[in-house]
Amino acid sequence: MKRKSPNITSKLWSCSAVLAVLILWQVLTGFGIVEGFMLPSPNAVARAFVQEFPALMGHARITLSEAFLGLALGILTGFVMAVLMDRFDRLYQAFYPLIVLTQTVPAVAIAPLLVLWFGYEMAPKVILIVITTFFPITVGLLTGFRSADPDAVNLLRAMGAGRGQIFFYIKLPGALGQFFSSLRISASYAVVGAVIAEWLGGFGGLGVYMTRVKKAFAFDKMFAVIILISAISLLLMWAVERLQKKCMPWENSNRD
């Protein structure tokens, strides 16, 4: 019970903060301090969410398909690049600056080019998601690989272990913590990247839905889809946290 009390207290503070924001929001709109066309009330947003729920779910299915495919390819790309740069110093010196450079270009600037080159189907969305998600994975894994305990590595070498055995028994398990921390970031980036790509062209998805309701000045629906995107991102981050606990049971025992 004592172990759970700090966690319960933190959740109470978080819920209280969210409730306070909702109350303030309702007061500002309910008393006309902020006009409804500028900021719809929470009640209006809730009604729009319920009314548009079937349409939102249909568009969310498309966005999530793009996000999951792009995230999977981003994880694969980041893992391969991290392994190669950890193995070959020349590759690290050559490609690490280029990888950092890819993150200095805003996704909004890249998306129109991808739509121009690859059309309005799923391909440009997935490519943009890969670009935005592979970097945290690469950096997290590379940091984990390079922070492996040198004494443990030297011990395995003295016992005749090869590079592959050192990687699988020392480096990879030691990098899991950084990997899942990066994966939480990438999971949220995946949804945001899909929505940004859909803004600039597409036939479906939450980004396309946002563009349509914005042109219709239906800001209650706009806020409804924003809340849905935030909820999806939080759910994905929670799923990554649960997966981390399953893959790293020794972390749970250390906390206990």
Side-chain angles (χ1 to χ4, degrees):
M1 188 66 182
K2 291 181 180 179
R3 293 173 183 168
K4 292 183 179 180
S5 58
N7 192 25
I8 295 173
T9 303
S10 64
K11 289 181 179 179
L12 284 175
W13 278 107
S14 301
C15 294
S16 300
V18 173
L19 183 61
V21 170
L22 290 175
I23 292 173
L24 178 61
W25 182 2
Q26 183 63 43
V27 169
L28 291 174
T29 55
F31 288 94
I33 301 174
V34 179
E35 296 295 335
F37 69 89
M38 295 179 61
L39 180 66
S41 67
N43 292 334
V45 173
R47 285 195 301 269
F49 187 88
V50 173
Q51 293 170 358
E52 294 293 311
F53 187 77
L56 287 172
M57 291 300 101
H59 287 288
R61 180 181 57 81
I62 298 173
T63 299
L64 285 175
S65 299
E66 298 165 351
F68 282 132
L69 179 58
L71 181 60
L73 293 175
I75 293 172
L76 179 61
T77 303
F79 180 82
V80 171
M81 295 186 73
V83 171
L84 291 177
M85 286 192 294
D86 177 66
R87 173 64 179 83
F88 303 102
D89 286 334
R90 294 291 177 88
L91 285 180
Y92 173 80
Q93 295 170 3
F95 286 102
Y96 190 79
L98 295 177
I99 293 173
V100 174
L101 186 63
T102 62
Q103 303 306 302
T104 63
V105 182
V108 179
I110 300 175
L113 294 175
L114 295 176
V115 172
L116 177 65
W117 294 336
F118 299 100
Y120 293 95
E121 299 295 337
M122 184 180 286
K125 284 85 169 175
V126 172
I127 294 172
L128 183 64
I129 295 167
V130 172
I131 292 173
T132 56
T133 57
F134 87 95
F135 179 75
I137 300 295
T138 303
V139 173
L141 282 173
L142 190 59
T143 302
F145 293 157
R146 299 210 157 195
S147 61
D149 185 359
D151 293 332
V153 172
N154 291 332
L155 176 61
L156 282 188
R157 283 176 180 164
M159 297 172 66
R163 291 183 181 271
Q165 291 172 313
I166 293 173
F167 177 79
F168 282 107
Y169 289 109
I170 300 295
K171 291 190 173 184
L172 186 58
L176 285 179
Q178 288 91 336
F179 168 72
F180 281 108
S181 297
S182 303
L183 184 57
R184 276 193 288 271
I185 299 172
S186 295
S188 61
Y189 280 4
V191 179
V192 174
V195 172
I196 290 174
E198 290 166 353
W199 282 349
L200 301 166
F203 304 105
L206 294 176
V208 174
Y209 178 87
M210 290 180 71
T211 304
R212 292 173 182 171
V213 298
K214 182 186 71 172
K215 291 180 179 178
F217 297 98
F219 293 117
D220 53 347
K221 297 177 182 178
M222 189 79 169
F223 273 84
V225 72
I226 290 172
I227 291 173
L228 178 59
I229 292 170
S230 299
I232 291 173
S233 297
L234 290 173
L235 185 61
L236 289 176
M237 294 174 69
W238 173 83
V240 171
E241 185 177 351
R242 299 299 300 176
L243 180 62
Q244 181 179 4
K245 291 181 179 179
K246 293 290 185 181
C247 295
M248 301 177 65
W250 60 88
E251 289 287 332
N252 302 329
S253 61
N254 290 337
R255 289 170 186 168
D256 294 340

